[in-house]
Amino acid sequence: MSNVLVFAEHQHKTFSKTALVALGAGKAIAAKSGGECYAAVLGSGIDDLAAEAAKYGVAKVFAVEHAALENYTAEAHSQALAALAEDKGCDTVVATASSIGKDMLPRVAIRLGAGMASDITGVNDDGTITRPTYAGNAMATISIETPRKVISVRATAFEPATEDGSAEVEKVEAKIDESVIKTKFVAFNETKSDRPNLAEASVVVAGGRGLKNGENFETVLEPLVDALGAAMGASRAAVDAGFVPNDLQIGQTGKVVAPELYIAVGISGAIQHLAGMKDSKVIVAINKDEEAPIFQVSDYGLVADLFKAVPELKEAVENLK
Amino acid sequence: MKILVAIKRVPDPNATIKVRPDGAGIVTDNLKYVVNPFCEIAIEEALRIKEKQGGAEVVLVTIGDQVCQEQLRTGLAMGADRAILVLAEGEVEPVAVARALEKLVAQESPDMVLMGKQAIDDDSNVVGQMLAEILGWGQATFASEVKLADGNGSAVVTREVDGGLEDVEVQMPAIITADLRLNEPRYASLPGIMKARKKELKEIPLADLGIDQTVQIKTHSIAPPAEREAGKRVETVEELVNLLHTEAKAI
């Protein structure tokens, strides 16, 4: 039996899907090991958040309050979380592989002397863990051999927890040695966009070198992106050609996405790119080259001139609504 | 200023990765290896700091077998000053890499350790953070901009985080891990390649570092991901929209 402590991440005092996925995964992991699942909410002025976390079917919520936890730093958060896991006898610590989870958990693992498995996509009945390697081109079956375990979970691979009962909230004094905090939060600049975040969007429309230039991304692709309420992405080739900025890159060295619907426009489907999108639920490819490798992973392929097909598709989508 | 850059040899990101039928690894025949793309960005950043600061030294380190010399030579050809190869056979797991790097930090006393945010083979994204914790240093992961303060007692680092960019101020010495937008790495010049042959490349057996190598993560096997089957070809946009609406229920 092993109790699980889930880091319930909040951003600016609201829970995102990220936290609910961690809770869902934590509950699943606890169920497999026959232990309890607890949630940890870290921050300052977090009573409401802790009460909110208590609705998601965990055995208990620990509200860890400390001024040093007001803004996230890896040093403060990892100390507080590791100390809590130790005090409450939780051998397994779980968080989503978000930017905070990825930043903090390896430090928690060192503090606890725990082995760490990153970005896992499944927990098997025999206690082994599945995680993608080589950008999803291989699925590894691994086990954590240490008594204590630290696990980050891939957000798209687990079901978010749903509201289910109400748990007790226990206030806990954070154990933080402030002298080891070597970083200071300065500012957060939110990406201001009317479009959804690429990593969380349920529809992604991505363009490749077939669009020929940056202007065509604006005049041809963007109307379709907005008609679908989608996020826009691009292939590495389009980024390298200077059509669009690097933060739109989908692929092994860019962002890995898995939306409900992925529309690849003028993208040939280099391995680099496929690694970043092939777990999407429905894939559509529009390309004039019928031999393009993107068609081999597409559910629906349209061999066509994108400059004709994309405006037509935009019209049709609008008519549907 | 001394900058230690930790790099990794990985398969070319543009190569097709195939899993061996016995599940013991990937097919490595004819596979081309390169410097991990994020590590290449880390090398470039170190070189830019050196060029700006003057008098800085850039030291590369990697852990692996003799063939890893190739990647160290690539980094030396880009402009790094010298390199250290920690000789090890087979996979060295991330926590052991972090512990080995701790020993090298003790030997070299760098002001900063730069490395890629993750290696594109194992995709763990943990070594920089683990090393920071072991050393008791601050960390700035997923960096897209590094601005060193005058006197270099600290740096303001812009980090690529969910939903935007975060600026943190980190005291030196620190660990900084490179994300994609930090810079565009240069290509090695021909004179650079010539010079690199003469630069120091020191070898240290991993065993000499005396680190704990107890296995923490055991890989039992690897398997290819579930295959996606090529679906339907549609003839018109109208047909596509109909299928997406009625069959896939995606719009």
Side-chain angles (χ1 to χ4, degrees):
Chain A
M1 191 189 99
S2 168
N3 292 335
V4 175
L5 182 65
V6 175
F7 173 66
E9 175 180 343
H10 57 95
Q11 280 188 326
H12 315 287
K13 307 246 160 83
T14 51
F15 286 125
S16 64
K17 193 183 156 209
T18 302
L20 303 184
V21 165
L23 289 169
K27 282 160 72 177
I29 292 166
K32 288 227 157 88
S33 68
E36 298 281 10
C37 179
Y38 304 107
V41 180
L42 277 59
S44 135
I46 49 164
D47 288 353
D48 292 350
L49 273 175
E52 169 79 16
K55 294 178 190 163
Y56 289 89
V58 291
K60 197 186 255 186
V61 174
F62 299 114
V64 186
E65 185 100 23
H66 197 289
L69 299 171
E70 168 77 33
N71 286 308
Y72 167 80
T73 64
E75 297 98 305
H77 274 66
S78 58
Q79 277 188 67
L81 192 63
L84 181 68
E86 223 155 41
D87 288 351
K88 302 298 174 188
C90 295
D91 286 335
T92 304
V93 176
V94 174
T96 306
S98 62
S99 50
I100 287 181
K102 289 186 225 178
D103 190 56
M104 169 186 67
L105 283 187
R107 295 190 80 127
V108 174
I110 293 294
R111 282 194 167 259
L112 294 174
M116 173 162 172
S118 299
D119 210 16
I120 73 160
T121 53
V123 182
N124 309 312
D125 288 334
D126 62 359
T128 60
I129 285 169
T130 305
R131 65 176 296 267
T133 56
Y134 297 97
N137 286 306
M139 303 301 289
T141 303
I142 63 163
S143 53
I144 306 177
E145 301 289 299
T146 47
R148 289 172 171 175
K149 300 166 179 33
V150 170
I151 297 170
S152 71
V153 301
R154 180 168 285 200
T156 51
F158 292 85
E159 289 295 325
T162 49
E163 292 198 21
D164 174 16
S166 69
E168 180 198 343
V169 175
E170 182 184 326
K171 290 195 181 189
V172 180
E173 206 176 310
K175 286 186 183 159
I176 296 175
D177 172 3
E178 292 188 59
S179 72
V180 305
I181 302 174
K182 305 285 170 62
T183 53
K184 201 170 81 189
F185 171 82
V186 178
F188 176 62
N189 297 303
E190 196 178 348
T191 308
K192 293 257 186 316
S193 170
D194 296 335
R195 300 197 180 113
N197 179 331
L198 191 54
E200 286 174 11
S202 58
V203 181
V204 172
V205 178
R209 196 149 43 191
L211 276 142
K212 293 198 171 86
N213 58 47
E215 200 188 322
N216 288 334
F217 266 83
E218 286 172 28
T219 57
V220 179
L221 203 63
E222 286 189 18
L224 174 63
V225 172
D226 292 333
L228 286 162
M232 187 164 82
S235 69
R236 170 115 195 215
V239 171
D240 284 350
F243 300 170
V244 285
N246 224 343
D247 58 332
L248 295 188
Q249 194 204 129
I250 292 168
Q252 188 176 19
T253 54
K255 294 197 167 65
V256 176
V257 300
E260 298 290 312
L261 174 62
Y262 188 90
I263 304 182
V265 177
I267 291 176
S268 66
I271 288 147
Q272 233 282 350
H273 186 74
L274 300 183
M277 46 64 79
K278 66 183 172 48
D279 291 332
S280 305
K281 202 162 165 214
V282 177
I283 298 175
V284 173
I286 302 173
N287 201 301
K288 67 176 183 210
D289 174 12
E290 62 178 292
E291 303 291 322
I294 190 80
F295 288 121
Q296 286 160 25
V297 299
S298 303
D299 299 290
Y300 303 105
L302 175 63
V303 179
D305 175 5
L306 73 91
F307 294 100
K308 250 189 85 199
V310 171
E312 269 181 54
L313 181 55
K314 180 218 153 214
E315 287 284 309
V317 167
E318 278 174 348
N319 290 339
L320 210 59
K321 291 177 178 173
Chain B
M1 157 165 275
K2 190 196 271 188
I3 306 171
L4 189 67
V5 186
I7 68 169
K8 189 174 186 187
R9 173 187 166 91
V10 299
D12 182 348
N14 294 309
T16 309
I17 299 295
K18 289 216 163 67
V19 174
R20 272 168 47 180
D22 64 1
I26 58 165
V27 178
T28 54
D29 303 343
N30 300 319
L31 193 59
K32 191 183 152 208
Y33 285 83
V34 297
V35 177
N36 179 48
F38 295 107
C39 300
E40 216 177 0
I41 295 169
I43 298 172
E44 176 64 35
E45 194 64 19
L47 295 176
R48 289 185 189 192
I49 292 170
K50 178 187 164 171
E51 283 155 7
K52 223 170 163 179
Q53 298 253 337
E57 186 185 24
V58 176
V59 182
L60 304 178
V61 56
T62 195
I63 301 174
D65 55 17
Q66 287 286 354
V67 290
C68 297
Q69 283 199 15
E70 286 171 27
Q71 280 64 45
L72 290 173
R73 291 282 174 211
T74 301
L76 292 171
M78 286 171 72
D81 297 291
R82 59 189 172 86
I84 301 166
L85 171 56
V86 177
L87 277 171
E89 291 297 325
E91 275 301 291
V92 183
E93 67 173 295
V95 66
V97 172
R99 287 187 182 131
L101 291 175
E102 181 207 8
K103 301 290 180 190
L104 291 175
V105 167
Q107 288 179 13
E108 294 284 339
S109 309
D111 301 286
M112 184 197 289
V113 178
L114 269 165
M115 60 178 85
K117 70 164 182 178
Q118 94 190 56
I120 61 157
D121 50 0
D122 182 55
D123 285 329
S124 280
N125 192 335
V126 298
V127 171
Q129 297 89 313
M130 286 181 169
L131 177 60
E133 180 63 39
I134 294 169
L135 291 167
W137 288 11
Q139 70 187 41
T141 54
F142 325 142
S144 66
E145 194 181 358
V146 177
K147 281 182 288 202
L148 289 171
D150 292 341
N152 300 324
S154 66
V156 173
V157 178
T158 304
R159 306 179 55 232
E160 304 224 10
V161 299
D162 297 338
L165 296 171
E166 182 190 71
D167 289 345
V168 295
E169 187 184 319
V170 61
Q171 289 171 35
M172 305 292 244
I175 311 282
I176 298 176
T177 75
D179 213 323
L180 201 61
R181 284 196 283 173
L182 185 56
N183 59 51
E184 298 238 357
R186 70 193 67 188
Y187 291 103
S189 65
L190 191 60
I193 295 167
M194 302 301 285
K195 269 194 219 160
R197 292 186 187 157
K198 293 187 189 132
K199 287 180 179 169
E200 180 190 312
L201 196 162
K202 185 167 80 175
E203 292 178 2
I204 304 174
L206 180 60
D208 287 6
L209 295 177
I211 59 159
D212 175 9
Q213 286 194 71
T214 314
V215 173
Q216 291 198 343
I217 304 293
K218 191 166 155 190
T219 301
H220 299 278
S221 62
I222 62 168
E227 281 278 318
R228 264 198 106 94
E229 280 178 33
K232 295 176 184 165
R233 289 292 171 103
V234 295
E235 298 300 323
T236 63
V237 168
E238 194 188 348
E239 190 187 347
L240 174 64
V241 171
N242 279 337
L243 285 168
L244 283 177
H245 188 57
T246 57
E247 188 180 81
K249 305 204 187 308
I251 57 173

